[in-house]
Amino acid sequence: MSDAAQPSAAEVRAAAEAVKAALDRHLDAVERRSGQDDPAVYAAFDELAAAAEVYDELLYDTYDEVTPFEIPGNEALPAYAGPEEPSALSVLIRRDYTVAAPQRLLHQAQRIADLDPDAADDAAGSAADAAAVVGTSVHAALGVLFGEFEPDEIATRHKEFGLEEGDSTLWVAAADDPAEPGEWLSAPFDQADPQRVVCRFDVSAVFDEELGEDDLMEPLDNER
C-alpha cells in the first residue's frame, strides 16, 4: 500500500469503535434470542464479523499488527436445518496420512505381529507365515496397525508409526432417531448431510499457508 493510501490513526480508531459497537449489538441479540435459529443473532454475527475484518485490515496496514482472534466465515457449512433438540448424533471423522517412513511402519507392524500372530491374520491371510508377511508389505502393515490401535492413538503416535499427518475433519451431525444396528454399514458416509452438522473442527496446513511467509510469526491460530 502506498503512503498516499495509508489509513490514518483516526480511521483505525473508528474501526475499533465499530467493532465494540457490533460486539454490544451481538451480545444484545444473543441475550434476546427467540430461538436457536433467531435471524437477529445471525445478522448481528455477520455485522460483527464484517466490522472485525475491517479493523483487522486497517490495523495491519497502519501498524503491521493483527488481532489475536479469528471470526470464522460462514462458507464452511450451510445453515443448520436439523432438529432443534437432537435425540441422536453421528460423529464423522476423516484423517489423512502419508506413509513418510515405510521401514518404520513395517518394523512396528512386524513387532505387533511377533507379539500377537493372530493380529496378522486379517491383514495378510490365515497362512501360517502371515506374521512374517507384515514386515514386507505396507498394505498388510497398515491393516495390522489400524487393527491393533484406536484411531485416536494412531493420531497421537503417528510419527512413531512412520506416518505424517495431512488434513483432518470431524463432523458432529444431528439425527432424528438412533440408527438400527447394521443399518448404514454398507455405505457409512452416504448419508452425511452438511445441513445437519451441529459443529465441525478442521485441521489443515492450508490455513497456515494462507497467511504467507511474512505472517508466520504472527500470533494467529488458523487450525480450527
Side-chain angles (χ1 to χ4, degrees), residues 37 42 74 76-82 193-197:
D37 297 322
Y42 284 110
N74 55 11
L77 287 173
Y80 178 72
D193 183 354
Q195 289 190 300
R196 284 180 169 257
V197 174

Side-chain angles (χ1 to χ4, degrees), residues 3-138:
D3 292 338
Q6 192 81 5
S8 67
E11 288 177 299
V12 180
R13 175 63 62 180
E17 294 300 327
V19 172
K20 296 175 187 178
L23 190 61
D24 286 338
R25 288 193 296 271
H26 180 261
L27 178 58
D28 184 64
V30 171
E31 291 174 338
R32 298 172 180 269
R33 73 189 316 161
S34 59
Q36 182 174 353
D37 297 322
D38 190 337
V41 175
Y42 284 110
F45 175 89
D46 289 339
E47 291 177 7
L48 176 58
E53 183 177 359
V54 171
Y55 171 64
D56 193 78
E57 290 179 356
L58 291 174
L59 186 71
Y60 181 78
D61 290 341
T62 307
Y63 298 110
D64 198 26
E65 291 289 343
V66 295
T67 55
F69 54 85
E70 178 182 1
I71 299 178
N74 55 11
E75 71 279 3
L77 287 173
Y80 178 72
E84 184 172 346
E85 297 184 4
S87 60
L89 296 172
S90 291
V91 179
L92 310 176
I93 301 175
R94 172 173 173 169
R95 296 187 178 114
D96 284 2
Y97 298 96
T98 56
V99 180
Q103 290 303 316
R104 186 180 304 170
L105 170 66
L106 295 172
H107 173 77
Q108 291 286 7
Q110 185 64 65
R111 183 179 63 82
I112 295 168
D114 289 342
L115 294 174
D116 181 11
D118 291 338
D121 287 353
D122 292 337
S126 57
D129 61 348
V133 174
V134 300
T136 59
S137 166
V138 170

Side-chain angles (χ1 to χ4, degrees), residues 65-69 215-221:
E65 291 289 343
V66 295
T67 55
F69 54 85
D215 302 327
L216 292 179
M217 297 305 293
E218 295 172 357
L220 287 178
D221 179 9

